[in-house]
Amino acid sequence: GLFPFVLEASDDLRRWQRIGGDDQLVVLQQGGQTIERLTVDLRGVQARFLRLHWQDPKHTAQLTAVGIDTLHSSDPVAPIAWLGPLAAEKCGADYCDYRLPRGIAVHGLRVQLAQSNTLAAIHVAGLLDAPPVGSPAPVQVHNPLYALRRMHRQTARASYPQEVPLLDTVVYRLAQPGGEARSPDLALNGAVYPRLRIRTNGPVAALGSPAPTLEVSTALRSVVFLAQGQAPYSLAWGAANASTAMPGKPL
C-alpha cells in the first residue's frame, strides 16, 4: 500500500525542523509484480538526528533497515523555474517523446498523468539529435540531487545510441480517502537534451489516455556586468561591436 509520513531533523532532540512536505513509501503489487518506491530526498539537510512520523498511526510500514547516502560536498543549487506543460510530440508502442524548449538544462521532471488510478514503471531517457561519433562521452552531471540518488546504481540501458538513460522510477496517480496521491518530482542530471523519452515496460497505454504531459525545471541564471569608467553606459547584445547596436533597444 501507500504509507504517508513526515520527516523532521534535529541536532539536539529538542528543536525539530520539518524536511520538505508530505511524502510516502510505496509498496504495490500489480500483475504479479511488486512495485516499490522506498527512497526519500533529504534536500541536503545537515543534522544529527532524523525523526519519522507516520501520518496515519494505524497504517504504518514495518521498517527493518534505513540506509543513508551522503554527499560530502556540492555546489549550491541555483533557484529553479518550472516550464510546461509539454504535450507528447509522438508516441510509439511503448514510449512517448517530448520536445523540450531549446537549450535548457533540465534539472527536474514532473509526469502529469491524465487519469486517476494510474500506475506504471517508466524509464526516462534524453534524446540526442545526432548519433555520437565513436564511443559516447559520459554526460556531465550538473545537479547534485541527481548525483546523490544515482551514484550507486546503473539506470536503464539505451535502446539506440542517441538515447541517454537517466533514471528508472514509478509514476502514479491514485485515489485515496483524503484526496489523490501523486508521484513526486524527479531529479534529472542538469544536461541539455532536445527531447525526453518516457518508456514503459509494456504498452504505452499503461500511462493512461491521453498521454501524460511533462513539466521540467531549469536553473535560473543571472548575468552581472561590471561597468568601468564614467556613466552613461551602453550595452550591446550579440553584436560584433557596440556601434551596430540600436540605442535604447530592449535586450
Side-chain angles (χ1 to χ4, degrees), residues 228-244:
Q228 296 179 335
Q230 297 297 316
Y233 307 104
S234 62
L235 178 65
W237 186 268
N241 54 68
S243 63
T244 61

Side-chain angles (χ1 to χ4, degrees):
L2 303 175
F3 305 97
F5 65 89
V6 173
L7 274 181
E8 295 177 316
S10 173
D11 285 327
D12 56 11
L13 293 177
R14 294 192 302 270
R15 294 180 294 271
W16 293 90
Q17 180 180 3
R18 184 164 174 169
I19 304 174
D22 298 341
D23 212 328
Q24 53 194 342
L25 302 181
V26 179
V27 183
L28 298 171
Q29 291 185 343
Q30 185 182 46
Q33 295 183 342
T34 299
I35 297 176
E36 297 180 340
R37 188 177 73 82
L38 303 175
T39 59
V40 181
D41 176 18
L42 298 180
R43 294 170 174 83
V45 66
Q46 296 182 3
R48 295 180 62 198
F49 304 99
L50 293 178
R51 182 167 67 183
L52 183 148
H53 283 293
W54 298 112
Q55 292 189 3
D56 183 0
K58 297 180 180 179
H59 184 62
T60 65
Q62 181 180 358
L63 302 182
T64 58
V66 175
I68 302 291
D69 286 333
T70 302
L71 188 66
H72 296 286
S73 62
S74 66
D75 295 329
V77 179
I80 62 172
W82 285 93
L83 309 176
L86 306 174
E89 182 180 43
K90 67 174 183 178
C91 290
D94 62 349
Y95 71 90
C96 283
D97 290 346
Y98 297 81
R99 180 178 291 275
L100 299 179
R102 182 177 179 182
I104 70 165
V106 182
H107 284 71
L109 174 66
R110 290 173 179 164
V111 180
Q112 303 287 12
L113 299 170
Q115 291 181 326
S116 187
N117 292 327
T118 302
L119 180 147
I122 63 170
H123 314 285
V124 181
L127 298 183
L128 305 176
D129 278 336
V133 178
S135 299
V139 177
Q140 183 177 0
V141 175
H142 302 283
N143 184 359
L145 288 179
Y146 179 88
L148 176 63
R149 293 177 179 177
R150 311 297 161 191
M151 59 168 47
H152 294 310
R153 62 190 182 94
Q154 298 292 328
T155 55
R157 64 182 183 275
S159 62
Y160 64 97
Q162 298 109 302
E163 189 171 334
V164 180
L166 299 177
L167 62 90
D168 306 331
T169 189
V170 175
V171 293
Y172 54 86
R173 178 181 173 184
L174 303 173
Q176 298 290 298
E180 283 193 332
R182 294 174 180 256
S183 46
D185 299 342
L186 306 172
L188 297 185
N189 61 3
V192 177
Y193 300 102
R195 296 175 179 84
L196 286 182
R197 170 164 290 181
I198 306 297
R199 187 182 293 279
T200 55
N201 288 337
V204 75
L207 295 174
S209 180
T213 58
L214 300 186
E215 295 181 18
V216 294
S217 68
T218 186
L220 298 178
R221 304 298 184 190
S222 60
V223 180
V224 179
F225 296 93
L226 174 62
Q228 296 179 335
Q230 297 297 316
Y233 307 104
S234 62
L235 178 65
W237 186 268
N241 54 68
S243 63
T244 61
M246 296 179 59
K249 183 179 179 181
L251 300 178

